[in-house]
Amino acid sequence: MTAASPPPADASSAGVAALLSSFDGPLSPALLQSLLRRLFAHPKIHSGFIDILRRPSVSASLAQLPQEKRDVVVRTVELFAFGTVGEYERCRQQSGGDDDVVWTLNEAQLEKLRMLSVVTVVRGQIEQASSSRGEGNGGINMLSIPYSRLASELHLPQDDLRQLEDLLIQCIYSNLISAKLDQSSKSLRIEPHVALLSQSGAATSSSTSEGGANKDKNTTTAAEVHGSVFTRDINIKRKQVSQMISTIEQFLHHSTTLLSTLESAFTASQIGRKEDEIRWTEVNKVLEEIPLKIRGEASVERGGSGFSDPMDVVSMSGGRGMGGDLMGGGNSRQVKRSKRRF
């Protein structure tokens, strides 16, 4: 028995909002199941499934169903909230292929569940790498998952790497994971976040503003290894609340470290700017004094007298101006000499 294919989903923001708002109005059991099937196949909705069950209209609609069918609906929603395709296959085997445990998924819904399963596998690998790094085992080298393991986890044929790679590429383009495909080693390499400066590194970098004498003493301490991965719904039954609290605390620590680094860089930039202003003030002062010194040296070379007129009448007999002609006789000859300006 296969589920009927839902109508094509509207991938726009308005389509997502319209679909989610449909769960707020009065719902019959048939309408609820139809909306849930559309929700499971929607290409833009990857979380918030468990919140659907908490809506009053959904709870009222589920109450109209028999207990067995109600459990099947809830179990299917939980499967997309925090389950994997492996759990889906086990439920299908348990029910013998019927809809007694979970709904039968069509191709679009099954592909989406596989994408969400990739998120679960990647997150588990990141946590393992972080714990291994804390034990000194070089966890950053463990941010790689072989294709063989992914194919086994996703219940895909081992010899059809094209189908697996297409699925992984779709996860990357959907911003579910930050990773790269390594075809040489046939593995998925998770991209870790850029390491942030620790408090000691930031404090050291702020002390390099005075002449740069301490630049070589700056030491950088990287934050713990972690990758960029989409966050699925929290499973309270599996005690994931404490794990989420720990994740938020790590995020707060990294944010505080980044803020401290930015503040230190801003302070160092301000100090450097003030030093540049003082230095340029001194340079401008020296530049203003240079013409005065040159004029003073030129005056000394001319006998200590300066001239304000650019054209100075010089008497060839030694006298200057009209006085030279009157005192030196009529044989004196006058020429005009250009005076340099500075």
Side-chain angles (χ1 to χ4, degrees):
M1 179 179 179
T2 58
S5 299
D10 186 359
S12 63
S13 300
V16 173
L19 178 58
L20 295 178
S21 62
S22 301
F23 290 94
D24 295 330
L27 297 174
S28 64
L31 179 57
L32 173 63
Q33 295 180 50
S34 176
L35 291 175
L36 287 176
R37 292 185 186 278
R38 290 176 55 192
L39 183 70
F40 295 155
H42 200 284
K44 295 294 184 180
I45 302 177
H46 301 99
S47 64
F49 301 101
I50 205 67
D51 296 331
I52 297 295
L53 298 178
R54 299 191 180 101
R55 300 196 178 191
S57 57
V58 175
S59 301
S61 180
L62 289 175
Q64 302 176 27
L65 293 173
Q67 183 65 39
E68 295 79 7
K69 292 187 176 181
R70 187 190 313 162
D71 293 341
V72 173
V73 174
V74 172
R75 195 174 295 113
T76 305
V77 173
E78 291 178 347
L79 193 65
F80 278 86
F82 35 71
T84 62
V85 68
E87 297 176 9
Y88 169 74
E89 295 295 341
R90 288 191 292 270
C91 291
R92 296 292 296 167
Q93 293 177 1
Q94 180 182 349
S95 63
D98 296 330
D99 291 349
D100 298 336
V101 181
V102 293
W103 286 347
T104 302
L105 305 179
N106 58 30
E107 289 300 325
Q109 295 165 350
L110 188 58
E111 181 180 11
K112 182 173 180 178
L113 183 59
R114 284 196 175 102
M115 293 174 63
L116 295 174
S117 301
V118 171
V119 173
T120 300
V121 174
V122 169
R123 181 168 293 279
Q125 186 70 20
I126 291 173
E127 293 174 355
Q128 181 181 357
S130 298
S131 60
S132 298
R133 184 177 183 273
E135 296 172 0
N137 297 330
I140 195 168
N141 297 324
M142 300 182 63
L143 295 179
S144 178
I145 308 176
Y147 282 173
S148 57
R149 178 190 168 190
L150 288 171
S152 177
E153 294 279 356
L154 302 176
H155 288 258
L156 293 174
Q158 295 282 348
D159 56 348
D160 189 2
L161 296 182
R162 177 63 180 274
Q163 184 179 359
L164 175 61
E165 289 182 340
D166 289 345
L167 181 68
L168 297 176
I169 291 173
Q170 189 172 356
C171 291
I172 295 173
Y173 285 166
S174 299
N175 294 325
L176 296 181
I177 59 175
S178 179
K180 292 182 179 179
L181 304 184
D182 189 352
Q183 295 181 339
S184 60
S185 62
K186 294 183 179 180
S187 62
L188 176 70
R189 293 191 175 274
I190 307 168
E191 293 184 345
H193 280 313
V194 177
L196 302 177
L197 290 176
S198 66
Q199 296 284 355
S200 59
T204 308
S205 62
S206 64
S207 64
T208 61
S209 58
E210 297 182 1
N214 297 327
K215 286 185 178 180
D216 296 336
K217 298 180 180 180
N218 187 13
T219 57
T220 304
T221 304
E224 85 174 271
V225 176
H226 58 292
S228 178
V229 61
F230 183 80
T231 301
R232 300 184 65 184
D233 294 347
I234 300 176
N235 188 359
I236 301 178
K237 298 178 182 178
R238 297 179 182 176
K239 299 180 180 180
Q240 291 183 339
V241 176
S242 58
Q243 179 182 353
M244 179 57 63
I245 293 175
S246 176
T247 302
I248 295 176
E249 288 178 348
Q250 292 179 8
F251 175 77
L252 177 61
H253 171 70
H254 297 152
S255 301
T256 304
T257 303
L258 177 60
L259 180 61
S260 176
T261 303
L262 293 176
E263 289 177 348
S264 301
F266 178 72
T267 302
S269 177
Q270 281 187 322
I271 295 176
R273 182 176 179 179
K274 291 180 179 179
E275 292 177 350
D276 289 341
E277 290 178 353
I278 296 174
R279 186 160 47 250
W280 277 110
T281 301
E282 295 176 352
V283 170
N284 291 330
K285 185 177 180 180
V286 172
L287 292 176
E288 291 175 355
E289 292 176 353
I290 289 177
L292 298 178
K293 292 182 178 179
I294 295 177
R295 290 176 183 176
E297 293 176 357
S299 300
V300 172
E301 292 177 356
R302 296 190 184 107
S305 59
F307 304 96
S308 59
D309 191 356
M311 299 298 292
D312 181 24
V313 179
V314 180
S315 174
M316 298 302 294
S317 62
R320 294 181 182 276
M322 297 301 295
D325 188 25
L326 295 176
M327 297 174 61
N331 294 328
S332 63
R333 187 175 53 162
Q334 295 179 348
V335 296
K336 290 186 177 181
R337 183 175 63 184
S338 176
K339 181 182 178 183
R340 289 182 298 173
R341 284 185 177 273
F342 297 96

